[in-house]
Amino acid sequence: MAFMSGLWNSIVGGNGKEDNWNDVSVFYSDKKKKYVSVSEIDKEAVPIVFAEAHKITFNKTGLGLAYTPINFLTIYHIDTRQAEVKMPSGHIDQPVIEDNRDGTVSIKYDPREEGVHELYVKYNGEHVQGSPYKFHVDSIFSGYVTAYGPGLTSGVSGEPSQFTISTKGAGAGGLSMAVEGPSKAEITCHDNKDGTVAVSYLPTAPGEYKISVRFGDKHIKGSPFIAKVTGEGRKRNQISVGSCSEVTLPGKVNDNDIRSLNASIQAPSGLEEPCFLKRLPSGNIGISFTPREAGQHIVSVKKMGVHIQNSPFNITVQEQEVGDAKKVKVAGTALKEGKTQGENTFTVDTRNAGYGGLSLSIEGPSKAEIQCADSTDGVLAISYKPTEPGYYIVNLKFADHHVEGSPFTVKVSGEGSNRQREKIQRQRDPAPLTEVGTNCKLTFKMPGITSFDLAATVTSPGGVSEDAEIQEVEDGLYSVHFVPKELGVHTVSVKYREIHIPGSPFQFTVGPLRDSGSHLVKAGGAGLERGEAGRFNEFNVWTREAGAGQLAISLEGPSKAEIDFKDRRDGSCDVSYKVDEPGEYRIGLKFNEQHIPDSPFKVYISPAVGDAHLLEVAQFPDSAQVDKPTQFYIRLNGAKGSLDGRVISPSGKTDDCFIQNIDGDQYSIRFMPRENGVHNINVKFNGVHIPASPLRIKVGKDDADPAAVHAHGPGLGSVKTGAKTDLIIDTCNAGAGILAVTMDGPSRVAMDCTEVEEGYKVRYTPLAPGFYYMSVKYNGHHIVGSPFKIEASGENLAEIGAQETSSVTVETVQKVSKGAQKQGPVLPHFKSDATKVTSKGMGLKKAYLNKHNQFTVHAGDAGNNILYVGIYGPKGPCDEVQLKHKGKNNYECWYVVRDRGEYIVIVKWGDDHIPGSPYKVEV
């Protein structure tokens, strides 16, 4: 404020002085605007102050300023811009920033080195979208083919990216281009008739794109170029229509037995996939599967891992039964162009294409609603309804292969929904490393509750559970404290009135992180479930397990949002937002340009609470029983209006509550639960949620605990395409609940889930190489470690298009582990490379009696793991070995020997010897 007062005085001719600023360096004025440039004391950034006059009417308070302007009215906006160039040598250079006076700036730079440069552009201390930008500088003279333009280094998803190729004086030769990346990018070229070609490509998803430019079958200088495409990404919707071959197998089976059976089918090529079993009306076993090749197939049906009678079975698939995407016929202009706010229809004819599943996904500026109708002649009529104009990508696959022409690029025109979007980005530093015996802390914000109703437990990797301490840091902010006794992944459960809070159970790694990435970020809180217009709505984001990276928060809906961010400096943060209009909003949370699990979140913002904030809940029960009426009371406290209540069961069924006036402005709300589990009760006053709504209550013996569920097995590691793999989901001592397994990746997977002794076995077969993410939820909560990142390698057996989703859901039965033996400590799964460890020192070559023989080990580039050092001599182990961690995985080791002879020094990083180990040392 002192600065504003001083600036005011300097403009109108006063004698005031600015605080925190050196001087006013430039003053520009015309009839409508006044521009003032000032410099910070540290000279690191150059702020520009824009002054807009005669456009705002101040009230008597002067909009909160310390004075009230009399002659004319002015409001100031201070924008800080900074740019620097990192040269190939690593030196930093300063470009020239010129203000264009129209809301844009020009950056000019005269390069002094040849090679790849990086341009860093910051606005108010934060990188602008796409920063740092990469550009290539060469010293090629005419006669060579060169390429230049912004599309070679950066772009925005959904918008055309351009660059230019110059072939002046290059002579004869063929020019070819290719763009590879997360999405298909349609390329268009235009010959400028002056020796240059204008190239445009349309990326439809954010990520890194490789742009190859060849002349005469050889890469031009700088090719392939890497372009970083940013943006919120496309909204995607997808449907699948099944078309499977069904075969009847000999043998009778009852409904109970079918649950414990699993089946797989092996093709002549060796490809093995799970297939689905069902009991036919005749009592026989029926299997359904998608035939991928002709010939004799082997079907194995097992119970608890043992073949049933007559298994394996042989069946023959005819050529005409194999799904052939090339024989699918599509028709309709809706695959080329479409209109917003209306149905766009095309037809798909699979009658002569054999058996296969049809999958459709549509990506674009809005999530298009998809409808599918099967006509009497067997031709599918598919329609989609987008709400925003722009380019959409339609992926249409049959039997896991694109139909002819897919993916289709559709240009949608028309009026948009006028939805407003706001976005902020914040850099997240890695959380401090925790060690055994140190105090560990996990914080969360949950306003409007009391700490007496909170409880927390921590389960170690060895399976030992202990209560944890919960402290109230400030009003509504709580922290869980515990002291770990072993390294590895711990499970932290936080419950409010015996129900897991949003985000719980949490993964908490003690020691080095075993993995990093967006799939390890968690978010939860009331602000991701519902909100109120005109006030700040809050939620938590936990990035501790994901490591360092950039967190992007976007909010899209009927009105523009104000977003606030508070860093707690422990790997968690508090996000709050405020919007003015009620309606449906989408909250997108990205970490390093990738959506976190369950993002984007749909949130309904209700109108301002009004009198609803006066209502109080009284005598709310701690629990309830099935088929027994349960009631509580609401006091209106003078508020005038109508009261409404609805109960939502765990299965999603909604029922009305019975509301009765008791006395004056006190009402009773009664409902009859019909199933076990956590029920949500929505209580609204004049159509608006009261502050405590939705109320949660546990009905019956709901002992389903996601914190007690664990997954393990080869199916969670590195897998091969075309090879059936599996994993075990251990539900022992976790109670009965709903187990939902979802897999997102470059292809659909055939997946099934069968009951085994310790829980449930999930089997699947990936068809395309790449990364898959498996979400495992128990009663709607992610288990610890979920979603799991799985890498598939091998031959591509299905065409890659948009990300595809496969899922299976099972209603589990209660399992109890046999025996009470406790597991020992479990080591975390480290990601490391022992070949990148280096060591040096005389102690690895020659040693001396009764002296400190020393060497060092450097593992800073080798990931995280445990360093093992062992020294063995002619008469056994040496007397004394000491190891000291110097920070950043650098170690110092010394040892003392008492006997002459030849010793062996073993140095391992995890289970692997480092280069040179074992060493022979002469004493």
Side-chain angles (χ1 to χ4, degrees):
M1 187 56 66
F3 161 67
M4 299 298 285
S5 302
L7 185 57
W8 171 265
N9 287 331
S10 65
I11 290 173
V12 299
N15 296 318
K17 289 187 178 180
E18 304 91 86
D19 290 340
N20 303 324
W21 304 87
N22 263 359
D23 52 13
V24 176
S25 59
V26 179
F27 180 75
Y28 167 79
S29 175
D30 63 14
K31 292 181 181 179
K32 293 184 178 179
K33 294 186 178 180
K34 303 175 186 65
Y35 295 88
V36 183
S37 294
V38 292
S39 300
E40 287 186 84
I41 291 174
D42 56 14
K43 299 292 183 183
E44 285 187 359
V46 180
I48 311 295
V49 178
F50 299 92
E52 301 274 351
H54 307 297
K55 289 188 178 180
I56 297 178
T57 303
F58 282 82
N59 54 29
K60 291 181 180 180
T61 63
L63 285 180
L65 299 178
Y67 54 87
T68 302
I70 300 171
N71 298 323
F72 60 91
L73 309 174
T74 307
I75 188 165
Y76 299 95
H77 312 276
I78 301 174
D79 303 316
T80 303
R81 299 174 183 133
Q82 183 181 10
E84 59 185 25
V85 174
K86 185 178 181 182
M87 297 188 290
S89 63
H91 293 109
I92 304 297
D93 206 358
Q94 300 296 327
V96 177
I97 304 177
E98 293 184 356
D99 187 358
N100 298 326
R101 308 297 190 194
D102 60 358
T104 66
V105 295
S106 296
I107 298 177
K108 296 181 179 179
Y109 179 64
D110 185 13
R112 293 179 287 163
E113 295 181 8
E114 184 179 350
V116 177
H117 292 60
E118 290 185 353
L119 172 64
Y120 296 83
V121 183
K122 293 183 180 180
Y123 182 81
N124 285 348
E126 296 288 336
H127 281 280
V128 303
Q129 191 176 62
S131 176
Y133 305 95
K134 290 184 179 180
F135 61 93
H136 188 272
V137 176
D138 61 41
S139 54
I140 297 177
F141 300 100
S142 61
Y144 291 85
V145 177
T146 58
Y148 56 90
L152 293 175
T153 56
S154 63
V156 178
S157 64
E159 297 180 12
S161 296
Q162 286 101 10
F163 62 92
T164 302
I165 301 174
S166 175
T167 60
K168 294 177 183 179
L175 186 66
S176 63
M177 284 152 288
V179 178
E180 301 173 55
S183 73
K184 175 191 174 185
E186 197 167 287
I187 306 172
T188 57
C189 300
H190 176 72
D191 189 349
N192 297 326
K193 307 297 184 183
D194 61 356
T196 64
V197 178
V199 183
S200 174
Y201 66 95
L202 180 68
T204 58
E208 281 196 348
Y209 287 74
K210 185 168 75 173
I211 303 162
S212 300
V213 182
R214 286 185 169 95
F215 184 73
D217 290 331
K218 291 184 178 180
H219 281 287
I220 70 170
K221 186 150 187 182
S223 175
F225 303 90
I226 301 298
K228 185 178 180 183
V229 173
T230 59
E232 179 58 21
R234 321 293 277 163
K235 280 81 174 178
R236 180 167 68 95
N237 202 1
Q238 71 173 42
I239 62 166
S240 298
V241 181
S243 174
C244 296
S245 176
E246 293 191 352
V247 179
T248 302
L249 301 178
K252 303 288 184 179
V253 68
N254 58 43
D255 286 331
N256 290 330
D257 285 341
I258 204 82
R259 293 181 182 177
S260 59
L261 298 179
N262 62 55
S264 61
I265 184 165
Q266 186 173 16
S269 66
L271 172 67
E272 188 177 5
E273 294 183 277
C275 55
F276 298 98
L277 287 170
K278 61 181 179 180
R279 182 176 181 271
L280 302 176
S282 62
N284 291 89
I285 303 172
I287 67 161
S288 62
F289 66 99
T290 300
R292 303 189 187 279
E293 53 190 279
Q296 193 174 67
H297 290 58
I298 300 172
V299 178
S300 299
V301 182
K302 296 180 180 180
K303 181 176 182 179
M304 295 294 184
V306 179
H307 283 280
I308 66 169
Q309 189 176 2
N310 300 323
S311 175
F313 306 91
N314 292 324
I315 62 171
T316 301
V317 174
Q318 304 298 328
E319 188 70 44
Q320 65 269 21
E321 294 177 313
V322 178
D324 188 353
K326 295 176 182 176
K327 295 181 180 179
V328 176
K329 297 177 181 178
V330 294
T333 59
L335 289 175
K336 295 181 180 178
E337 56 186 16
K339 294 287 185 183
T340 59
Q341 317 301 339
E343 302 289 346
N344 302 276
T345 305
F346 59 93
T347 59
V348 180
D349 185 352
T350 62
R351 289 175 294 182
N352 300 317
Y355 292 103
L358 181 72
S359 63
L360 167 74
S361 70
I362 299 179
E363 299 178 63
S366 67
K367 188 172 182 178
E369 183 183 327
I370 303 174
Q371 300 288 340
C372 182
D374 193 354
S375 59
T376 54
D377 60 358
V379 177
L380 291 170
I382 298 175
S383 64
Y384 62 92
K385 186 179 179 181
T387 58
E388 301 290 341
Y391 288 96
Y392 288 73
I393 300 298
V394 178
N395 286 278
L396 189 59
K397 285 185 177 182
F398 183 74
D400 295 312
H401 287 76
H402 283 284
V403 306
E404 196 166 335
S406 174
F408 304 90
T409 302
V410 182
K411 185 177 182 180
V412 173
S413 57
E415 293 293 323
S417 60
N418 198 30
R419 289 171 69 83
Q420 304 292 309
R421 188 166 176 272
E422 184 64 30
K423 179 181 178 181
I424 65 169
Q425 290 181 314
R426 295 292 184 270
Q427 185 65 32
R428 307 294 293 139
D429 295 327
L433 190 70
T434 54
E435 300 288 353
V436 171
T438 61
N439 182 46
C440 296
K441 181 176 71 170
L442 184 145
T443 59
F444 62 94
K445 197 164 190 179
M446 203 168 174
I449 66 168
T450 61
S451 57
F452 300 108
D453 294 320
L454 286 169
T457 58
V458 177
T459 303
S460 70
V464 179
S465 295
E466 294 181 336
D467 290 337
E469 180 188 2
I470 296 181
Q471 296 178 358
E472 187 168 8
V473 181
E474 59 184 58
D475 188 27
L477 181 64
Y478 301 89
S479 61
V480 178
H481 294 263
F482 66 98
V483 177
K485 297 182 178 65
E486 56 183 289
L487 289 171
V489 176
H490 291 60
T491 302
V492 181
S493 299
V494 184
K495 294 183 179 182
Y496 175 66
R497 290 183 174 173
E498 298 187 5
I499 300 171
H500 282 280
I501 70 169
S504 176
F506 299 94
Q507 174 177 312
F508 196 103
T509 303
V510 177
L513 296 178
R514 65 176 186 177
D515 198 2
S516 62
S518 61
H519 62 292
L520 295 170
V521 179
K522 278 203 168 191
L528 289 179
E529 299 170 2
R530 63 180 181 87
E532 178 192 336
R535 64 179 291 270
F536 277 102
N537 306 283
E538 296 178 309
F539 61 90
N540 302 279
V541 181
W542 296 273
T543 61
R544 182 189 184 278
E545 295 294 301
Q550 190 173 68
L551 179 67
I553 305 156
S554 65
L555 209 142
E556 182 182 290
S559 66
K560 207 166 180 64
E562 181 184 345
I563 306 175
D564 192 27
F565 175 95
K566 292 179 182 176
D567 190 355
R568 301 187 195 125
R569 307 288 180 187
D570 63 352
S572 69
C573 56
D574 174 38
V575 180
S576 59
Y577 64 91
K578 182 171 72 171
V579 294
D580 295 327
E581 298 291 332
E584 188 178 276
Y585 289 75
R586 288 164 63 95
I587 299 176
L589 296 175
K590 281 186 166 187
F591 190 76
N592 288 342
E593 295 288 338
Q594 298 292 323
H595 277 287
I596 74 166
D598 303 322
S599 172
F601 301 84
K602 273 189 180 179
V603 180
Y604 181 76
I605 303 296
S606 63
V609 169
D611 283 350
H613 76 279
L614 298 173
L615 275 66
E616 289 181 312
V617 179
Q619 298 181 35
F620 190 80
D622 292 329
S623 60
Q625 298 298 317
V626 173
D627 295 330
K628 290 186 178 180
T630 303
Q631 71 174 6
F632 58 95
Y633 299 94
I634 297 288
R635 298 192 189 100
L636 302 188
N637 294 325
K640 304 295 182 184
S642 59
L643 193 62
D644 177 60
R646 296 176 74 81
V647 60
I648 303 171
S649 69
S651 62
K653 294 178 182 177
T654 303
D655 198 9
D656 290 326
C657 297
F658 180 72
I659 301 176
Q660 185 178 11
N661 182 249
I662 301 298
D663 179 24
D665 63 355
Q666 182 163 303
Y667 288 77
S668 72
I669 296 183
R670 189 165 73 247
F671 65 97
M672 181 88 75
R674 301 294 184 186
E675 58 184 273
N676 288 324
V678 177
H679 289 57
N680 287 316
I681 306 162
N682 292 328
V683 181
K684 294 183 179 181
F685 187 70
N686 292 335
V688 178
H689 281 277
I690 69 172
S693 175
L695 299 150
R696 288 184 166 190
I697 187 170
K698 183 188 285 189
V699 175
K701 189 182 179 183
D702 175 35
D703 53 358
D705 186 5
V709 180
H710 303 281
H712 61 88
L716 292 178
S718 296
V719 298
K720 295 289 184 182
T721 58
K724 179 172 61 70
T725 186
D726 58 59
L727 60 132
I728 298 295
I729 299 176
D730 188 342
T731 60
C732 287
N733 306 316
I738 305 296
L739 176 66
V741 183
T742 304
M743 198 145 182
D744 286 286
S747 76
R748 288 179 63 83
V749 299
M751 184 165 58
D752 70 355
C753 182
T754 53
E755 186 179 347
V756 292
E757 188 174 341
E758 65 268 47
Y760 294 83
K761 176 186 280 189
V762 175
R763 306 182 306 158
Y764 69 92
T765 303
L767 299 177
F771 286 106
Y772 293 78
Y773 292 90
M774 178 181 281
S775 295
V776 181
K777 289 186 176 182
Y778 204 60
N779 266 19
H781 294 267
H782 282 280
I783 71 169
V784 166
S786 171
F788 300 91
K789 185 178 181 181
I790 301 164
E791 184 176 8
S793 58
E795 189 181 347
N796 191 2
L797 304 175
E799 292 184 36
I800 297 177
Q803 288 283 103
E804 300 206 44
T805 302
S806 313
S807 61
V808 62
T809 303
V810 176
E811 191 169 336
T812 69
V813 296
Q814 188 164 355
K815 298 272 185 178
V816 179
S817 59
K818 289 186 177 180
Q821 68 271 18
K822 292 185 179 179
Q823 290 182 321
V826 179
L827 287 177
H829 175 69
F830 292 112
K831 285 195 173 182
S832 63
D833 184 357
T835 63
K836 294 183 179 179
V837 180
T838 60
S839 60
K840 59 183 179 180
M842 187 57 71
L844 295 175
K845 301 173 184 176
K846 193 172 184 179
Y848 298 92
L849 291 176
N850 303 315
K851 301 280 188 181
H852 279 197
N853 301 286
Q854 196 170 358
F855 63 91
T856 58
V857 179
H858 306 279
D861 299 324
N864 291 312
N865 216 311
I866 297 173
L867 181 68
Y868 297 95
V869 176
I871 301 171
Y872 196 85
K875 296 182 180 179
C878 78
D879 291 347
E880 198 173 347
V881 180
Q882 286 219 14
L883 195 63
K884 187 173 183 180
H885 184 218
K886 306 292 285 186
K888 296 183 179 180
N889 282 347
N890 293 313
Y891 298 84
E892 189 178 86
C893 180
W894 58 263
Y895 59 95
V896 178
V897 292
R898 311 292 185 195
D899 301 297
R900 299 180 187 273
E902 192 176 80
Y903 284 73
I904 295 175
V905 178
I906 294 174
V907 183
K908 282 187 172 185
W909 187 238
D911 293 329
D912 301 314
H913 284 278
I914 73 169
S917 175
Y919 301 89
K920 285 186 178 181
V921 178
E922 190 70 33
V923 177

